[in-house]
Amino acid sequence: MESNFVRADNSNLPKIDGFMVADFFKNNADYYAAEHKNVKTAVSARESYGDDAIGYVQLQREHGVCTVKCKMCPEHKVRTKPYNVTMIINENDSEIMSCQCHDCAASAGGCKHAVAFLMWVLRRSDEPACTSIECYWKKPTLSKVGTTLKYITVQQMSKKEVPHRPSSSALYTEFISEAKKRKIDNCELLKYQHDFKHSNVMQYSLHCLVMDQSPEIKADVDKFIDVMKATFTEAVISTIEEATRRQNKSSLWYEMRYGRITASRAHEVSVCHTPDGSLVASIMGAKYLIQLQ
């Protein structure tokens, strides 16, 4: 802890409100520039990051000005040295004078760590008073990953109770039954039922072919390959080629690639020695999730 600073807790932390935060963003060119579009700012302000990444909060008051400092754990390299973030608040004028990260490469242009710390203080200001004092001079939760804390579960990441999937399949069965009564044929869940009749080219999907076979053929790879050889005549292959010419713009194109080693993946498969890795997952339909950062 630095000289003349004290440990921050919920009794001495400065109070800020939404109007003060709005004025800070309005008067700070690093956050309202047109090229930012406030997307990164909104993501940085999320509660799931700030509450786990911030620790060792200390503060100092002098002539109505409160200086609050913290250590922030980097989001992607939790074992590296934490970043130092400082916020200066004029409590007499109810104004946030500055909030800046001192260590990351993007700090000169308004980085996400400053936003995360600012919104962290705002959330602490909105919390109701409690009878006990919670000290904020503690190690960030995120930095414990890989040391005493080997992993973080979904339950630990969420402040709210995570609903559990019911063990009984009664609700699912009732849903399928009701959908069939109403003659709903465009529901994705119905497409994976044994009695669903696929039309046109979709019936040649690998999933549909497997579903239509008897248990004996499903259990024997050689027999299933023989069925596929008999099914995919030149006429069928020509029909599939015509229906999937739009390629990645066609949902049918993705369906036909599912579970198949296509030409674009033939070389990767030939040199792959991992039976259960990312390549196998991608062949079986896994997709990358694009997240805003």
Side-chain angles (χ1 to χ4, degrees), residues 216-236:
E216 181 184 356
I217 295 179
K218 290 180 182 179
D220 193 320
V221 176
D222 294 329
K223 290 183 179 180
F224 181 70
I225 292 177
D226 292 337
V227 171
M228 291 187 65
K229 289 180 179 179
T231 302
F232 287 94
T233 62
E234 292 187 6
V236 170

Side-chain angles (χ1 to χ4, degrees), residues 32 40 99 109 111 115 125 207 214 222 224 229 234 237 264 279 284:
Y32 67 70
K40 290 186 177 180
C99 186
C111 67
V115 176
S125 300
H207 172 80
S214 64
D222 294 329
F224 181 70
K229 289 180 179 179
E234 292 187 6
I237 294 174
S264 60
L279 177 59
M284 298 306 296

Side-chain angles (χ1 to χ4, degrees), residues 160-177:
K160 301 179 181 179
E161 183 179 356
V162 179
H164 294 279
R165 185 179 63 180
S167 56
S168 174
S169 60
L171 180 62
Y172 175 78
T173 305
E174 183 179 352
F175 173 82
I176 297 298
S177 176

Side-chain angles (χ1 to χ4, degrees), residues 219-256:
D220 193 320
V221 176
D222 294 329
K223 290 183 179 180
F224 181 70
I225 292 177
D226 292 337
V227 171
M228 291 187 65
K229 289 180 179 179
T231 302
F232 287 94
T233 62
E234 292 187 6
V236 170
I237 294 174
S238 178
T239 302
I240 296 174
E241 186 272 330
E242 291 179 5
T244 58
R245 285 179 180 177
R246 297 179 67 209
Q247 294 196 356
N248 63 347
K249 295 181 180 180
S250 169
S251 59
L252 182 62
W253 183 75
Y254 286 103
E255 182 69 24
M256 291 300 165

Side-chain angles (χ1 to χ4, degrees), residues 7-26:
R7 297 180 179 182
D9 55 50
N10 57 350
S11 64
N12 62 9
L13 200 69
K15 303 296 182 181
I16 64 176
D17 54 35
F19 294 103
M20 296 171 63
V21 174
D23 287 338
F24 171 76
F25 285 128
K26 176 184 176 182

Side-chain angles (χ1 to χ4, degrees), residues 20-79:
M20 296 171 63
V21 174
D23 287 338
F24 171 76
F25 285 128
K26 176 184 176 182
N27 299 323
N28 195 320
D30 293 334
Y31 298 104
Y32 67 70
E35 60 269 18
H36 285 182
K37 301 183 185 301
N38 288 330
V39 175
K40 290 186 177 180
T41 304
V43 174
S44 303
R46 68 190 191 277
E47 180 180 353
S48 59
Y49 172 54
D51 288 0
D52 290 335
I54 293 173
Y56 296 117
V57 184
Q58 56 183 330
L59 59 85
Q60 176 193 45
R61 282 185 169 89
E62 187 175 6
H63 306 300
V65 176
C66 182
T67 303
V68 188
K69 296 184 178 182
C70 79
K71 300 282 188 181
M72 177 163 290
C73 180
E75 187 174 11
H76 302 293
K77 297 181 180 180
V78 297
R79 302 295 299 278

